[in-house]
Amino acid sequence: MDTLAASGLNDANIKLCRAETLRNMVRQSFALLLLVGCATSHLAAQDSRADQIQALRLTPGQALHLDGVIEEAFWQRAAVIRDFRQQEPDEGAPATEATEVRIAIDDRNIYVAVMAFDREPDRVVSRILARDQIMEARHDFQFAGDDAVAILFDTFHDSRNAFVFATNPNGAEFEALITDEGAEINVDWRAVWQAAAVRHAQGWSAEFAIPFRTLRYPEDGQGEPWGFNVYRTIRRKSEMVLWQSWSRDNEGFERVSRAGHLIGMENLPRYGINVELKPFALAGTRQELDADGQTPVERQTDIGLDLKSELLPGLVLDLTLNTDFAQVEVDDEQVNLTRFSLFYPEKRDFFLENAGVFDVGFRGGFGPPPYQLFFSRRIGIGWEGEIPILGGARLTGRVGGQTVGLMSVLTAESGDVPITGHSVARIKRDIGENNFLGLMVTDRRNGDGSNTVAAVDGSFWPHPTLNVKGFYNRSFTSGAGGNDHTYSVTADYSTDLVGALLQHLTVGSQARADLGFITRSDIRQTRAEFRLSPRPGRWGIRVIETSVEGEYISTTDGRMQDWGVSFAVDPEFESGDSFRAMFDVGETQLDEGFMLADSIPIPSGRYDTRALRLFLHSGRQRAVVGRVRGGLEQFFGGTLWSVEPSVGLSPSPQVSMELSHEWNRVDVPGGKLTSHITSLRLGYAFSTKFTTNALLQYNSLDKDFSVNLRLNFIHRPGSDLFIVLTEQRGVGNELWQLSNRGLVAKLTYLTRL
């Protein structure tokens, strides 16, 4: 094995502001943003080092034994990537530990071999064995607590969208989809592929085997390069290294347009019939408390089918019949201490794949998104629980320079809601290297009426560090009302040292999006933020992020609803530990009163707001990881205290657990309340293919205790056996009174034709 790189690298050497003042600050921030965006800025992009790698074509008879040991003779003939640079902690410096990456292809798979050298192999961190735990996505990709490596394929070379695969020294598997260079990162996508890894005296190594049928690529692109990149973390050092796109100035792994190039992708396989059939069979029992106080046992049996077919290269049709989501984990408990609806993330497989295609909206800052045109939980989930899905179809993919998406789902009659059709259509046209213009239409209709929303949106990069995006839509609703417009524009300038953001959103008073999520209508919301992130290089501090943010919200006719200014300081230490302190001041106008947590009246009026919030996070490389969040707020004429500690423990790759508790104490003129939410997550991984998980939750306001136990055995790639027990207790003041219980076994079997 070639180890030249192993010896050739060195160690990496307020005052309260009034509303008019806030408006002035927003206008000044916008002027500053334009000035900064148009000025010539320093961009620490890559130099002219080689940014491509040749894939080795295997001859008939050559085969890979997937075990993580890079010992096959053909690997010695493959081209090698060695030039990895740090993004953290020393931007642009050579990685402190060497990495070698090789790529080979045959008529079925693409193979990637990674040699992750480490001069202290006993200090390599590898505590994760379960699937889908290695990385997570917030605003960008972040590794969890282990050493790991991730690879990226931009198969259409469109500089926007990509497939991601990752593994760690235990061979745990993780995959994701990137849409529009990280505007949407889908970590819940599931694909058919395999990885194996092994630790040894030189560090650790891994091999990936990814079927071409799992990837999508153009038919007429014979010989066209693919985008490719590699991302590695050396966890004990909190070191992040990349082959390309290592600059902190608005680059990173998710910036697909900054990836390198994979050449030699010629004579790739084509399948006359590219169809995946995935039938399922389900059996179980269910109990639910009835009006007589009894919990009779009901037996359940069911069958269904998911079908996937690549109609054209890169264009995929998905069909689902008699859809069932019994294996999906239950939602996390939440306490609503606002006057707005809670927002729960989507967890159902059918709606997760290629979900980024349908992403149009305004995300805002913390909390639920103010406006999201399409929110898939509006399908099959009602106020009273699950609504059966009779069937659905989805068509997504690439056609030339366009990304397209079509979805139609039919739900059964449930309670007072008749059979309902839900449809969404989407097209995005590429413009230049990484810009786009798009159109999208959503439609929900049944015997009671209909709601249709038509939108146009776009995203443009006039400078590598400046992104300008926005959308405009109009709703059309049968009957009275529901016809109005919504529009948004965002300008985001970001480098490692400086960031500036300006956002504006208007939601009309009659705007509706029955297939979307609207936090509040009849608003004009403007938000500006300025960030400064110096790196002192001393005291064990890696970076100190400081920011000031202002927000002003009015009705569409100009009446003030909320304004606020916040200041934050967030030092991150070389150890991976971090601390954040925030101070907010502002004002809220309530035109109508509401019931807080369905128990305390909050009258209309004008309220001052002040808040101090603290966040502490320990480094994730440790076997024991802690997090504490706390706050004290001036809250609707009273006070709100909140504390949320949590601790995670990973004593071995097989065992994981996390205990968290959220405590809130409200004291306002209308009354007092104290809420507790306690949750315990337990996991045991017998192997990378066989895992068990438990989630236990207690909610004091709802007087509710729930248990969700899940066993998942991947008996062959893409095929699963699930055994799931769900139980909920708490009726009135009787905490241990059984409310409902379900036990189900579900078997799926994937066949590729």
Side-chain angles (χ1 to χ4, degrees):
M1 182 177 299
D2 192 347
T3 60
L4 291 177
S7 61
L9 299 174
N10 298 318
D11 289 331
N13 327 311
I14 186 172
K15 193 172 182 179
L16 180 65
C17 299
R18 298 191 181 277
E20 183 60 35
T21 303
L22 180 62
R23 293 191 191 98
N24 292 335
M25 190 189 78
V26 168
R27 289 194 289 266
Q28 293 167 5
S29 298
F30 181 56
L32 176 62
L33 180 61
L34 291 178
L35 177 64
V36 173
C38 295
T40 300
S41 66
H42 170 69
L43 178 64
Q46 283 71 235
D47 56 28
S48 59
R49 295 187 313 275
D51 63 351
Q52 68 180 31
I53 180 174
Q54 172 90 32
L56 174 69
R57 167 71 67 171
L58 300 184
T59 60
Q62 290 182 316
L64 172 70
H65 178 54
L66 191 71
D67 57 5
V69 181
I70 308 173
E71 61 183 2
E72 288 81 4
F74 63 77
W75 285 128
Q76 299 305 314
R77 297 188 290 107
V80 186
I81 295 174
R82 295 192 183 94
D83 191 9
F84 283 78
R85 300 279 168 161
Q86 296 182 45
Q87 186 178 58
E88 296 286 352
D90 190 3
E91 180 188 24
T96 62
E97 305 291 346
T99 307
E100 295 181 353
V101 178
R102 296 169 169 84
I103 303 174
I105 60 175
D106 61 18
D107 291 336
R108 292 182 172 227
N109 303 306
I110 181 167
Y111 305 104
V112 180
V114 179
M115 179 64 203
F117 292 98
D118 199 304
R119 288 164 291 179
E120 298 180 275
D122 292 340
R123 299 187 65 191
V124 169
V125 181
S126 55
R127 297 192 181 96
I128 298 173
L129 188 60
R131 207 180 193 285
D132 302 328
Q133 304 297 316
I134 299 171
M135 302 183 79
E136 59 186 27
R138 294 172 184 170
H139 299 294
D140 55 8
F141 267 117
Q142 296 183 14
F143 285 106
D146 276 11
D147 281 63
V149 65
I151 57 177
L152 174 152
F153 294 106
D154 173 11
T155 57
F156 281 86
H157 212 217
D158 61 12
S159 300
R160 295 167 174 80
N161 310 301
F163 300 90
V164 173
F165 303 90
T167 193
N168 68 349
N170 295 325
E173 297 170 358
F174 172 93
E175 66 272 84
L177 297 173
I178 294 177
T179 302
D180 292 331
E181 299 204 272
E184 174 75 16
I185 300 175
N186 184 353
V187 300
D188 296 297
W189 173 61
R190 288 287 302 271
V192 177
W193 66 289
Q194 291 181 287
V198 63
R199 296 179 62 165
H200 42 67
Q202 292 178 303
W204 64 281
S205 56
E207 293 175 317
F208 299 74
I210 304 165
F212 281 110
R213 295 186 66 162
T214 294
L215 305 172
R216 314 296 176 191
Y217 46 88
E219 184 175 29
D220 57 353
Q222 297 295 312
E224 174 72 16
W226 289 8
F228 181 71
N229 207 355
V230 186
Y231 186 20
R232 179 187 175 188
T233 178
I234 305 166
R235 178 47 72 185
R236 71 179 181 279
K237 303 179 183 181
S238 296
E239 182 176 331
M240 308 295 171
V241 302
L242 295 102
W243 175 44
Q244 301 292 317
S245 194
W246 42 258
S247 171
R248 299 190 194 114
D249 284 344
N250 213 14
E251 290 193 352
F253 188 59
E254 66 278 1
R255 287 298 305 273
V256 182
S257 63
R258 305 295 293 167
H261 309 284
L262 173 60
I263 61 175
M265 306 305 288
E266 302 166 350
N267 301 315
L268 300 182
R270 282 294 163 203
Y271 303 93
I273 300 178
N274 193 353
V275 175
E276 295 182 359
L277 295 175
K278 194 172 186 178
F280 77 82
L282 178 149
T285 62
R286 179 168 180 79
Q287 297 173 260
E288 190 163 355
L289 186 67
D290 60 21
D292 297 326
Q294 304 298 312
T295 53
V297 177
E298 299 179 11
R299 288 180 171 80
Q300 294 178 293
T301 58
D302 212 347
I303 58 173
L305 175 68
D306 292 332
L307 180 149
K308 184 187 296 290
S309 176
E310 189 174 23
L311 301 182
L312 296 171
L315 187 63
V316 179
L317 172 68
D318 291 273
L319 299 176
T320 181
L321 300 175
N322 199 27
T323 314
D324 176 84
F325 302 108
Q327 76 278 11
V328 175
E329 183 183 68
V330 298
D331 291 319
D332 291 340
E333 291 283 346
Q334 298 185 43
V335 171
N336 192 356
L337 297 179
T338 73
R339 60 194 190 276
F340 308 118
S341 298
L342 293 173
F343 182 84
Y344 292 93
E346 180 61 86
K347 296 184 178 183
R348 298 170 295 173
D349 293 345
F350 179 78
F351 297 105
L352 288 172
E353 184 171 353
N354 291 327
V357 173
F358 303 106
D359 184 41
V360 175
F362 182 90
R363 296 189 179 277
F366 294 102
Y371 187 92
Q372 192 165 311
L373 178 56
F374 177 65
F375 181 45
S376 58
R377 285 181 64 106
R378 297 297 186 214
I379 304 173
I381 300 176
W383 294 108
E384 300 299 324
E386 183 178 336
I387 299 174
I389 293 178
L390 300 175
R394 179 183 61 219
L395 183 69
T396 54
R398 298 278 299 176
V399 179
Q402 291 79 227
T403 299
V404 299
L406 298 169
M407 182 189 297
S408 184
V409 178
L410 188 67
T411 55
E413 181 178 357
S414 178
D416 296 332
V417 180
I419 293 176
T420 303
H422 313 75
S423 300
V424 56
R426 173 68 156 152
I427 183 169
K428 295 196 300 184
R429 173 66 182 178
D430 300 346
I431 299 175
E433 183 181 16
N434 54 357
N435 313 304
F436 75 82
L437 275 176
L439 298 171
M440 184 160 149
V441 178
T442 65
D443 182 85
R444 182 182 185 274
R445 61 183 59 237
N446 56 34
D448 294 337
S450 65
N451 172 256
T452 303
V453 185
V456 58
D457 69 321
S459 174
F460 301 89
W461 292 86
H463 188 274
T465 57
L466 177 63
N467 178 227
V468 180
K469 60 184 178 181
F471 71 88
Y472 174 88
N473 70 45
R474 180 136 189 120
S475 58
F476 306 90
T477 306
S478 61
N483 304 317
D484 215 330
H485 64 251
T486 301
Y487 62 87
S488 165
V489 63
T490 297
D492 185 3
Y493 174 84
S494 181
T495 68
D496 181 49
L497 179 61
V498 176
L501 174 75
L502 180 67
Q503 295 181 308
H504 178 79
L505 170 70
T506 292
V507 182
S509 60
Q510 296 295 314
R512 276 179 55 179
D514 290 0
L515 271 184
F517 185 92
I518 303 178
T519 300
R520 58 201 292 196
S521 57
D522 190 24
I523 63 164
R524 290 176 179 165
Q525 176 178 346
T526 302
R527 173 172 170 253
E529 179 181 349
F530 180 78
R531 170 185 58 81
L532 186 65
S533 305
R535 294 177 177 264
R538 61 185 71 180
W539 310 308
I541 298 176
R542 176 168 293 184
V543 61
I544 303 176
E545 183 175 300
T546 58
S547 63
V548 57
E549 175 186 329
E551 184 175 62
Y552 183 83
I553 301 175
S554 71
T555 60
T556 52
D557 60 6
R559 290 179 291 109
M560 192 276 290
Q561 296 293 288
D562 301 274
W563 69 264
V565 179
S566 68
F567 306 88
V569 58
D570 184 0
E572 180 183 341
F573 298 89
E574 297 290 357
S575 62
D577 303 324
S578 63
F579 167 81
R580 182 176 179 85
M582 298 177 61
F583 178 67
D584 306 336
V585 296
E587 199 172 23
T588 291
Q589 171 66 45
L590 281 184
D591 292 337
E592 297 181 359
F594 72 102
M595 294 295 291
L596 179 68
D598 296 326
S599 61
I600 298 178
I602 304 294
S604 60
R606 182 166 292 200
Y607 297 92
D608 291 331
T609 60
R610 290 177 176 81
L612 176 64
R613 299 182 178 91
L614 302 176
F615 308 81
L616 294 92
H617 298 260
S618 65
R620 302 186 63 179
Q621 76 277 12
R622 297 184 173 92
V624 180
V625 178
R627 183 184 74 236
V628 178
R629 302 177 185 178
L632 172 60
E633 301 181 37
Q634 187 175 352
F635 187 75
F636 294 117
T639 57
L640 166 62
W641 290 85
S642 60
V643 179
E644 184 181 354
S646 71
V647 59
L649 178 63
S650 300
S652 74
Q654 288 77 25
V655 178
S656 64
M657 59 188 71
E658 181 180 12
L659 176 64
S660 64
H661 182 81
E662 179 184 345
W663 174 84
N664 296 283
R665 171 66 174 170
V666 175
D667 187 349
V668 295
K672 301 178 181 181
L673 71 80
T674 301
S675 71
H676 301 268
I677 289 183
T678 303
S679 68
L680 175 63
R681 292 181 182 272
L682 302 170
Y684 189 86
F686 297 92
S687 70
T688 59
K689 311 296 184 186
F690 186 14
T691 58
T692 58
N693 296 279
L695 174 59
L696 292 78
Q697 300 184 93
Y698 168 69
N699 186 327
S700 67
L701 286 186
D702 294 338
K703 295 181 175 59
D704 179 279
F705 177 78
S706 64
V707 177
N708 182 226
L709 303 176
R710 298 187 306 142
L711 179 149
N712 179 205
F713 175 53
I714 304 173
H715 56 90
R716 65 193 302 264
S719 304
D720 298 85
L721 170 65
F722 297 99
I723 299 177
V724 182
L725 170 66
T726 302
E727 182 170 299
Q728 188 169 18
R729 292 181 176 271
V731 179
N733 291 320
E734 299 290 335
L735 176 62
W736 295 108
Q737 171 68 51
L738 180 65
S739 173
N740 61 76
R741 176 191 293 140
L743 175 64
V744 64
K746 180 178 179 180
L747 180 67
T748 70
Y749 191 91
L750 176 67
T751 300
R752 285 180 156 176
L753 304 178

